Amino acid sequence: MTGVEWVLIGLILLFGFYTAWNIGANDVANAMGTSVGSGALTLRNAVILAAIFEFAGAYLVGADVSDTVRKKMFDPEALTVLYGDIANYYLACGMLASLLAAGTWLFIATWASWPVSTTHSIVGAVVGFGVVALGIEGITWGTVGIISVGWVVSPVISGAVAYLIFNIILRTVFYKKDPVRAARSVIPYLMFLVISVLVGVTTYKGLKSFWKKYDYDPKDPQFIMWVLV
């Protein structure tokens, strides 16, 4: 490899660890805050579990997200048309700039205690790079639009589901004469529902690329029944 390529690898590692550090300072608090706040986990155990499962999640089910960020918001091949032999270096530098920009914004927002999203940050950074490199017309605005719609729809749906479930818990547990006894009869059903949803989402969406490697179709009803059983 050339000296430039070694420099790029070094910068990738540096910017990657810097961004991961900022993600850990922000997103892990969202995932583990309730467990630590309720006393279910100590801070040390929460950090250990987060390190294990955040890495496992990124490694096992992060392929689709990476593909979207890497090549679905703009066509990397279009860079070859414009920049020829240096297109690969241009793409590498642009993605490095996006990584650094997202990590820096996460750092600023976390330090100031502002609400911030890693996904919003990296999507915005990559779109910014794409506009500079290819112009506004080079961006796949349909994909960006779908991502943006998800940012609006998902909080609304999550809020509605949380409202519904909390009302169920209030009526079936807290408003009863013996809440502890009521909880013992209701919580197993709620836990089953939560686990089923998590397993289903992870299997159907998160591990989709993993199953395809072994010629399994996550949309096949027989495959879904096999997972549930």
Side-chain angles (χ1 to χ4, degrees):
M1 290 192 297
T2 65
V4 173
E5 290 171 339
W6 280 112
V7 170
L8 287 175
I9 290 175
L11 290 175
I12 289 169
L13 293 174
L14 178 63
F15 292 177
F17 279 115
Y18 172 69
T19 304
W21 174 65
N22 286 295
I23 292 173
N26 187 279
D27 286 22
V28 172
N30 298 332
M32 295 293 179
T34 52
S35 300
V36 175
S38 65
L41 289 173
T42 64
L43 181 60
R44 178 185 177 186
N45 289 339
V47 171
I48 293 173
L49 285 175
I52 294 172
F53 288 105
E54 293 275 347
F55 175 81
Y59 180 77
L60 294 174
V61 302
D64 287 340
V65 176
S66 298
D67 282 344
T68 299
V69 173
R70 182 169 59 92
K71 62 183 180 181
K72 291 186 180 180
M73 288 186 286
F74 65 85
D75 184 9
E77 296 297 330
L79 295 173
T80 304
V81 177
L82 290 177
Y83 302 102
D85 294 337
I86 64 170
N88 290 336
Y89 293 104
Y90 204 96
L91 178 62
C93 291
M95 288 301 186
L96 279 171
S98 302
L99 191 62
L100 181 60
T104 301
W105 174 241
L106 286 172
F107 173 81
I108 294 172
T110 303
W111 176 77
S113 299
W114 295 337
V116 66
S117 167
T118 303
T119 308
H120 290 55
S121 302
I122 193 63
V123 167
V126 172
V127 168
F129 160 55
V131 170
V132 172
L134 300 172
I136 294 178
E137 67 280 358
I139 303 298
T140 309
W141 291 109
T143 300
V144 177
I146 292 173
I147 295 172
S148 301
V149 168
W151 295 340
V152 177
V153 173
S154 58
V156 173
I157 295 176
S158 298
V161 172
Y163 175 84
L164 177 63
I165 293 176
F166 188 61
N167 269 283
I168 292 173
I169 294 173
L170 285 177
R171 295 175 183 276
T172 58
V173 178
F174 287 103
Y175 292 162
K176 297 295 183 179
K177 292 182 179 180
D178 189 351
V180 175
R181 183 177 181 181
R184 289 174 179 170
S185 61
V186 172
I187 286 178
Y189 295 100
L190 293 177
M191 290 298 296
F192 175 78
L193 176 63
V194 171
I195 292 173
S196 298
V197 171
L198 292 176
V199 170
V201 170
T202 302
T203 302
Y204 177 73
K205 184 65 177 176
L207 292 174
K208 183 167 60 176
S209 58
F210 174 79
W211 297 123
K212 286 182 178 180
K213 291 181 182 179
Y214 299 96
D215 295 328
Y216 290 114
D217 183 7
K219 296 181 180 180
D220 187 349
Q222 292 183 349
F223 175 78
I224 296 174
M225 291 300 298
W226 172 75
V227 171
L228 292 177
V229 173

